[in-house]
Amino acid sequence: MRLRRTMLYLPGNNPNMLLRGHLFNPDGLVLDLEDAVAVREKDAARILIRDVLKRGEFGSCEVTVRINGLDTEYWRKDLEALVPLGRLDGVRAPKVDDAATVKQLDEALSEIESKAGLEVGRTKIFCLLETARGIFNTYDIATASPRVTAVIPGGEDLTADLRTNRSPEGTELEGIRRNVIVAARAAGVDALDTVFPRITDDEGLRKETSFIKQLGFDGKSVIHPNQIPIIHEVFTPTEKEIERAQKIIAAAKEAAERGLGAVQVDGRMVDAPVVKRALFTLTRAGLLEEGQDNA
Amino acid sequence: MKTAQAGTVESMDCLVTVSEAEPGTGIALTLAGSSVARFSRAMEKAVRATLGELKINDMTVLVQDNGALDIVLKARVEAAVSRLNGGEEA
């Protein structure tokens, strides 16, 4: 698995942010061609992002682009300019309402990848669910293409569509977040949370991040670099959790060697799901190579 | 005379203004901004290379720079030229 604790939005027409965003060490980047770019600047932003992608200096970040919505005239041009470079790990699609939208995007990507001589299917899809319909269809959306790697509930647009607004407690998003988690896990994709809009409210961010982590989310979209260390801290296991995970792995290994099915660690039975969770803890702590936990 | 612009004067960006020029007049380039004194040769090379790639021989170009790297300068020149040519809007 790839860590996606934080994915930082970078305004697509801002060279300063596009070139320096990775220096803040988020797990991923979202070069934004949609809401962060004025309509009359879409062309210039597309050229700028293309050239920044060509240069390709993004540290170890997963690199994605938020394209314009499939209900606009821009999204295909966005893909045609950027996908052939072979540098994008994925595209984040706004306002995905149903499986048909994903299929349309999947087909366009396949056509462009094939024409550019790239492996077909290499560009992943991150789906933003920004309407009640999108939330209602989460599982169908997440399973509409093998490219789908994450679903992300919206914040502002979604609450507007629900005829409410965002409150500091997040009451209006609570049920939605729970539903998205179940659908994402059932589909085998990541669940990434929406942005926390109050950029100076560190405590609020910490509280919301702890909550969504407990629900099972894999990470959060980020709009300000200062939010990154706080979210990483919440998602990073404590010393105690790491120690316990290491004990569990060691015990499981020993049990396997001795031909035993289950063993005990600190008075608790250790079976397959417990081992899986322990491996996950070590991955989040950065103590396992990505992919090693698939064993 | 048709004119078009791309970019901004924000930090690490530049504002490029391009105008049509009579055939045979060549590239007339003006560079302005705090880093021009040190980087004018590199900047001129970047602008000329981009115009060359776009097969443009005659054009008046003004660059107001605020610390743009080469790749940004090139992207802004390309966007300005595309707009001048009435290219695809957005």
Side-chain angles (χ1 to χ4, degrees), chain B residues 28-82:
Chain B
L29 175 61
T30 309
L31 300 170
S34 55
S35 45
V36 171
R38 278 196 298 160
F39 299 111
S40 63
R41 280 174 68 179
M43 288 169 68
E44 181 168 349
K45 204 173 145 195
V47 174
R48 287 185 184 278
T50 308
L51 294 174
E53 283 161 26
L54 299 169
K55 305 202 175 359
I56 288 172
N57 302 317
D58 309 296
M59 189 163 281
T60 305
V61 183
L62 167 64
V63 178
Q64 289 162 271
D65 178 56
N66 191 10
L69 297 181
D70 261 20
I71 62 163
V72 177
L73 177 55
K74 288 179 160 185
R76 295 319 194 184
V77 170
E78 181 179 333
V81 170
S82 157

Side-chain angles (χ1 to χ4, degrees), chain A residues 1 8 15-16 25 46 60 63 65 88 109 121 124 170 190 210 213 263 265 273 292 294:
Chain A
M1 63 164 267
L8 175 64
N16 191 352
N25 291 318
R46 199 180 290 124
S60 58
V63 183
V65 165
L88 274 185
L109 283 169
K124 301 290 171 217
D190 281 353
S210 303
K213 181 192 167 220
V263 284
V265 171
Q292 215 176 318
N294 291 330

